[in-house]
Amino acid sequence: MNWKTGVNYLVLFGLCFLGGRFVASERTERTSGEKRGELAILIDDFGYCGEGTKEMLDLPIPFTAAVMPFSKCTEADAEAVRQAGKEIFIHMPMESLTGKREWVGDKGVFRDMTEAEIKARAEEAFSILPDAAGLNNHMGSAIMEDERSLSAVMDVLQEKNVMFVDSMTTAKSLGRSIAGQKGVTFLGRDVFLDSTDSVEEVKKNLRKAAEVALEKGYALAIGHVGPEGGMVTVQAIKELIPELKQAGITFVTVSELAK
């Protein structure tokens, strides 16, 4: 090999080396610039032995199960949640502005209760579900707009050092402001997933939640077992897990999201 050939090899090697460095650098920048987000799914209405309970708990992702504290299947469903390694929340029945009183149940939180009675009701819920990491409202538009009633609930959460999730059943909710006053960790729902019999509609809502998470870094979506979601919601989540993970979504519990 003469000296000219040697120089040509060196030039070619140098160009390949620099090109490789450029490609690697570009790939690193692209990877580090990809959006990522955490998505917490809160599944309401455990405690009724509702459709999809077992299948939901079998999903291979972390999520939080909101259990009705005063229902016929409260203990059975709560134990199933624990055995599945999922996080427990209290799904607290609260008075609605539009729904019938009996829809809330005998042991809900109502505006005609004294503050002491409301606190005792919340304490009773925690005595039934002592390992609950937090509480969210079942229905509850009337209570979420009533400062006195909601403050009494928040006092109990403050004492127990657990968080509150606002299901956002009213646009006039005082949840964030009162939680802030009481020093209670607060998260608000970003997307409702179900209340539909269409798997594709739930998928659409899941993708919307993922978009929110990728945009701001996190999102909280609420779905259901039983007639409001059940197997429709289970199927949609199960089928979409790979897609959302590929898009940069990490599934977490609600309390993990709050951290």
Side-chain angles (χ1 to χ4, degrees), residues 130-230:
D131 51 345
L135 178 148
N136 76 317
N137 54 299
H138 170 65
M139 302 175 64
S141 54
I143 299 301
M144 296 307 299
E145 294 184 12
D146 186 75
E147 183 175 2
R148 183 191 68 88
S149 301
L150 188 56
S151 291
V153 175
M154 291 290 186
D155 283 339
V156 175
L157 303 187
Q158 180 189 45
E159 293 169 6
K160 296 187 177 300
N161 193 30
V162 297
M163 65 180 296
F164 179 76
V165 166
D166 192 338
S167 301
M168 303 302 293
T169 54
T170 170
K172 298 179 181 179
S173 173
L174 300 175
R176 184 180 296 276
S177 62
I178 295 178
Q181 294 169 19
K182 301 290 184 178
V184 174
T185 300
F186 174 94
L187 283 175
R189 183 265 306 165
D190 292 297
V191 177
F192 264 132
L193 296 179
D194 43 27
S195 297
T196 174
D197 59 2
S198 168
V199 172
E200 291 306 313
E201 187 67 22
V202 178
K203 286 183 177 181
K204 176 182 176 182
N205 293 332
L206 269 169
R207 291 187 178 105
K208 180 180 177 181
E211 289 174 4
V212 173
L214 293 173
E215 185 62 32
K216 70 176 184 178
Y218 66 93
L220 173 58
I222 291 181
H224 303 79
V225 289
E228 293 297 317

Side-chain angles (χ1 to χ4, degrees), residues 45-48 66-71 73-74 89-93 104 129 138:
D45 291 352
F46 285 92
Y48 288 139
V67 182
M68 301 287 290
F70 310 119
S71 298
C73 291
T74 295
F89 258 48
I90 290 172
H91 193 38
M92 192 72 185
V104 179
L129 298 167
H138 170 65

Side-chain angles (χ1 to χ4, degrees), residues 1 6 41 58 71 88 98 160 189 216 225 246 256:
M1 179 177 66
I41 298 177
D58 285 341
S71 298
I88 291 179
T98 56
K160 296 187 177 300
R189 183 265 306 165
K216 70 176 184 178
V225 289
Q246 181 66 30
E256 287 173 334

